[in-house]
């Protein structure tokens, strides 16, 4: 049984709490949050103690911590937790600064404690099925990958300003997915973007619509499309052309009802909320972490994976700003 | 080259004229119609002569006739045309009277001339593909067949009154399709129906919505659903459950555009007009007739097939009227 | 908070236990089962007491019982539980005997305690959405209803023998769904069936493939298709033709991956297992029961509903056996 | 009635001949081809004269010519035909050389005779429907366009060598489609590509897999994906994200049959051959040309359109070769 301390009781922390409590091999021992009320509420729901982060890290009976705090605290908490001997599952991204993230990697390497980064989409049943089919050679050798990730609606501009920008905040999931599916890192990154959804986003120095193309040493190509607004729902699709066929992972729909009238044939929309879309993925992610932590097997998503995605986000940001292709082969 | 006389220049006659003219192995020589203007118009479009039916039948240079006249003339024209030595393709149904149709069969049998009944749906590419998959054993042995045939809108009540009723006029296509797919005739027929779409249809002694179930000697079951009104278009589907799977033939849509908005995900409707839906089927039907007529091979749909479907329509009408199952095993 | 005793710790009892425990307004207090080991196992998983059924019924602190025992015990337990002042949720069917079920209704009526019958499919999100669209008039007035329910594989013949037959055991869900959607009871029932999937099932006096047609006083028609075997998965679909359109509820698929190769375009199969298919339905069903029990509102599915479905199953069985239509209008 | 001379009797010339002959307002008078046998064969099929190109151009009774010869002759024939007073429909591309195409535009401008370039995809019913929906504001304002064009199999390397390269030969259709849908020209073009399908194509200096991103002055973005090989068929899709929704044009499938077995749910593949896919588009294209030529209305696709697409192909080629974004705003 893995005894777990949860750092952060916000929206995503609450999702993790359900999975920690619902998993037969883990138990939620304590929670901390800078907002006392949030921690109290979560603690009451799950019957766990409310403590300070320091207390949790110092408690030798706690085996693992899940870091679901604000991004700027991730690196520091990863370092502190591994130093305290905990296994760590940390929400993405590792940090908004690639330098800082690399320093975190160096600092934790010596601890020997396993760190997993929460790229939940790797655990989405459909995406995992697609990857399995690819790995099994069902469409031959991969040639051209397309990732579509559209959010239903943009976040407040106040969030945009501290987010690190679309490439680090939103597209980082797609960079990791590309790495996950292609099994290699790209050699060039080209980004274009605009703030066509909301000029305020542009005024804040960010984009809300972007396309990144990446080339690989062996000739493969990947394209990522992001938009902060798809009014019909959370649009999350993968398409991979291989030498012997095409694999697609399509959207999950709200229900299976189809209505045919003089106005056309109407199906349900994609699920609107990312938590609804990825709820099974979060549960599977936690299951994978627990197994690795208890059984001593390698973490399925490493700190290095987090840094790789961050490096690509940084390259994309640079490419967008300069208008030039960025060589990421080194 | 098959020299063809066309009897009937109405809507369906015009469809056939296009196919006769467009087929590399047939040529349209002459057309007749009780409405002189219709014949003249068709003749002008296709550059063929306008003659009387008698003239056409008496012309020894004409090899075949296509009968696209009103239903009450079908049997007589089949008899006259075969007696005159023509190969015949006659629109369904053979006759509204089963007795009369059987007499027609007797009369033509002695002529030795081939007669094909125009059950066009057998030649629909998707339905033919479904039958091929079934015959190839792709879903094992057939167990349960469902046919859905909904017209977009009911015909005028004046038409209903002379149509012979829904079972003979509309469902006869489905009876033939059942025979085509099951490769056997049923042993019992049960029909229910109502005039829920238009009470005027009920007042005229007919139904506009009906379900027929049929059982087969070996335990197979077939269900046919008909409605005179599906406002979203011409709804023509087949579903066959076999011991190793399910085959479905779905509707043809007007186009492939999909629109996703806050209102849902909207696809195109099924094609609305039966000629649009079955245009490729009519062309393939004619091709099959020409091949059989020129090459001396058996007609792919026989007068016996027309009579079998008619007998089932008669049984269904009887079942509906009496509320009893009708034994058609004899 | 609703304090609940669970009677029956088998497969379906375990599903209910998860929902009872997971619902914020209910708590699982005790479980009983004729197989002590089953009760112990469930009790350990959920941290609840293992008691005798008698104990549970006699405990005044328990507000409600969920009856998930074998069918032959349902009526008796409903009577005993209501007499003991409990709110009751009982798995379908009420009884295999219509007489016995009616007696149960009489016996419980005097208790004034609410009884809900577990027709879980009413709570399936897609089916509920379809019903809502119908009720909202989105396709006008209902005219023709089709229900398709195919199990992935037949149960053992030993089960068939005590099941009450396909109409009572399997199609009863569809009878209830027809009542739920049509908002009225039919006036005639016609059934055909065969044992084409497995002759052993026929030898046991039952069918494995069946079609029932039902007519309504206002001219509406319903068709139910059942098969004990659809090798591709649990096939559960609804199709309703209305005066202004068609509503369909399609199958839930295992995932959203589509693979296009030279062999065709392959999508995922329907979910295979009924618990996977209907898991959200069971949770919503329990939620509805808890609300009604705690808030004192009417049960969303009543004992009368259970009896109505049973009466239709009995009529279908009779129709199949006699070959005649059965009048159920009285 | 438009009297038409057809220049070129190859594969695409034969398609046009069928449409010229089948259109009620045009008649095929004469055909020419450098291969006498091809011209003779086409002439025999359609009952038209076989002449030299010079003869056709000099015949004042001929109103229009359709140029379906090899690409290197297009510009010269457009010039000669307009000088001879003919209306012209010329297959794409205008020329492989942008300079030469511009000279052709200058030369023909003085003739005052209308020239249409055969970008057939504009006339595809689904693509035209998508454009109509966009123009009608059904998804608000366009933001992000994605075009997917995959051929089923690469052409011979001998063809590749004289084709002008993927961007001019294949992607030119997509450049025109982008112009057609976006209603504006891009300001930057970025191209990546590789010869991952066939290294021989790379050895010939071309690519077989490519992605182009284009930005527009108002912030819109377009992405084009091309591959010379999609083994499952001719993959031709459009996807356009707007401020109020998403429009997609999906593939046409070979038929509507769906097969569900233990192996999955299998649908038909996209049509494999481009002529099958775009047959209705070619007919509609011809209809549009005839209308414009006879009625004196502007050509729906102009020589300027042909040059615009060619300029984008040239920019993409340059971007691919240099690795740099190309400014096409001037």
């Amino acid at each position: 049984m893995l005894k777990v301390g949860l750092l952060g009781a916000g929206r995503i922390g609450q999702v993790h709490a359900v999975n920690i409590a619902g998993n037969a091999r883990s138990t939620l021992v304590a929670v901390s949050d800078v907002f006392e009320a949030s921690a109290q509420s979560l603690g009451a729901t799950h019957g766990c103690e409310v403590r300070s982060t320091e207390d949790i890290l110092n408690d030798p009976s706690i085996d693992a911590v899940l870091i679901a705090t604000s991004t700027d605290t991730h690196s520091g908490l990863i370092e502190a937790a591994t130093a305290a001997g905990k296994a760590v599952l940390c929400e993405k991204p590792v940090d908004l600064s690639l330098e800082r993230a690399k320093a975190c990697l160096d600092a934790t390497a010596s601890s020997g404690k396993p760190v997993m980064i929460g790229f939940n989409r790797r655990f989405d049943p459909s995406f995992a099925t697609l990857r399995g089919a690819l790995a099994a050679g069902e469409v031959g050798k991969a040639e051209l990958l397309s990732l579509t990730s559209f959010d239903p609606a943009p976040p407040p501009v106040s969030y945009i300003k501290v987010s690190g920008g679309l490439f680090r905040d939103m597209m980082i999931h797609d960079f990791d997915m590309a790495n996950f599916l292609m099994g290699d890192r790209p050699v060039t990154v080209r980004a274009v973007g605009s703030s066509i959804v909301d000029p305020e986003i542009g005024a804040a120095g960010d984009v809300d619509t972007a396309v990144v193309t990446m080339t690989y040493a062996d000739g493969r190509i990947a394209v990522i499309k992001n938009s902060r607004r798809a009014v019909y729902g959370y649009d999350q699709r993968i398409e991979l052309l291989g030498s012997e066929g095409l694999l697609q992972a399509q959207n999950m729909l709200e229900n299976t009802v189809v209505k045919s009238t003089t106005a056309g044939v109407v199906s349900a929309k994609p699920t609107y909320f990312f938590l609804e879309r990825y709820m099974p993925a979060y549960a599977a992610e936690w299951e994978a972490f627990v197994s690795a932590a208890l059984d001593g097997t390698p973490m399925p998503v490493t700190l290095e994976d987090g840094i790789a995605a961050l490096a690509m986000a940084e390259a994309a940001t640079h490419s967008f700003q300069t208008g030039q292709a960025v060589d990421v082969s080194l």
Side-chain angles (χ1 to χ4, degrees), chain A:
Chain A
M1 182 66 70
L2 193 73
K3 289 182 185 151
V4 183
L6 172 62
L7 312 184
R11 188 169 66 175
I12 196 67
Q14 291 166 36
V15 170
H16 287 302
V18 170
N19 289 326
I20 296 168
N23 190 297
R25 299 176 76 198
S26 66
T27 185
L28 180 57
V29 173
V31 62
S32 70
D33 198 290
V34 290
F35 296 102
E36 177 78 12
S38 298
Q40 290 292 353
S41 168
L42 191 149
T45 301
H46 291 282
C48 73
E49 297 173 72
V50 176
R51 297 201 204 158
S52 71
T53 298
E54 194 174 22
D55 256 19
I56 291 175
L57 295 182
N58 288 339
D59 182 342
S61 77
I62 291 182
D63 306 306
V65 296
L66 195 157
I67 302 173
T69 54
S70 62
T71 296
D72 58 322
T73 65
H74 287 181
S75 318
L77 287 173
I78 292 172
E79 291 168 356
T82 51
K86 314 298 184 203
V88 173
L89 171 55
C90 181
E91 271 297 316
K92 65 92 211 167
V94 178
D95 204 288
L96 293 182
S97 154
L98 181 57
E99 290 303 299
R100 181 68 188 86
K102 286 178 175 170
C104 177
L105 176 63
D106 291 342
T108 60
S110 57
S111 77
K113 299 308 297 181
V115 178
M116 174 167 161
I117 302 302
F119 283 122
N120 57 298
R121 297 186 192 175
R122 292 191 179 205
F123 301 93
D124 174 77
S126 291
F127 294 169
T129 297
L130 185 149
R131 185 174 185 259
L134 176 64
E138 295 185 23
V139 295
K141 188 172 162 302
E143 293 172 352
L144 177 52
L145 171 68
S146 302
L147 303 177
T148 298
S149 296
F150 299 159
D151 280 351
V157 173
S158 59
Y159 173 83
I160 295 281
K161 287 177 177 166
V162 299
S163 68
L166 178 143
F167 300 107
R168 284 186 190 88
D169 176 59
M170 180 176 174
M171 200 180 281
I172 195 160
H173 278 294
D174 303 290
F175 290 126
D176 181 64
M177 185 55 68
N179 290 341
F180 181 57
L181 294 174
M182 297 298 247
D184 195 8
R185 309 283 157 81
V187 292
T188 69
V189 173
R190 282 167 177 80
V192 297
S194 69
S195 54
I196 194 168
V197 170
D198 183 356
E200 292 292 311
I201 291 175
D206 198 6
V207 296
D208 49 41
T209 305
V211 175
V212 165
T213 54
M214 304 190 292
T215 62
Y216 292 77
D218 58 5
R220 286 178 298 168
I221 300 173
V223 191
I224 301 171
K225 296 186 290 178
N226 270 192
S227 170
R228 287 284 193 186
R229 181 182 63 196
V231 299
Y232 50 90
Y234 195 43
D235 192 343
Q236 300 279 304
R237 287 173 286 149
I238 298 176
E239 191 168 309
L240 192 145
L241 178 67
S243 54
E244 296 171 24
L246 183 80
L247 287 171
Q248 296 169 296
Q250 302 186 318
N251 282 316
M252 276 181 55
L253 305 185
E254 289 176 340
N255 58 62
T256 68
V257 175
V258 178
K259 179 174 66 171
S260 302
T261 68
T262 53
V265 177
V266 186
S267 305
K269 291 179 287 185
T271 52
Y272 191 84
F273 191 41
F274 84 96
L275 285 180
E276 187 182 2
R277 170 68 176 85
Y278 285 121
M279 196 54 83
Y282 281 109
E285 175 188 80
W286 180 250
E287 175 71 28
F289 174 76
V290 170
S291 291
L294 287 179
D295 305 340
T297 52
M299 284 293 158
V301 196
T302 64
L303 196 45
E304 284 85 349
D305 289 323
I307 289 170
L310 193 58
M312 290 154 76
E314 194 130 318
T317 305
H318 189 63
S319 173
F320 165 67
Q321 288 166 345
T322 63
Q324 302 299 315
V326 173
D327 186 335
V328 289
S329 62
L330 303 181

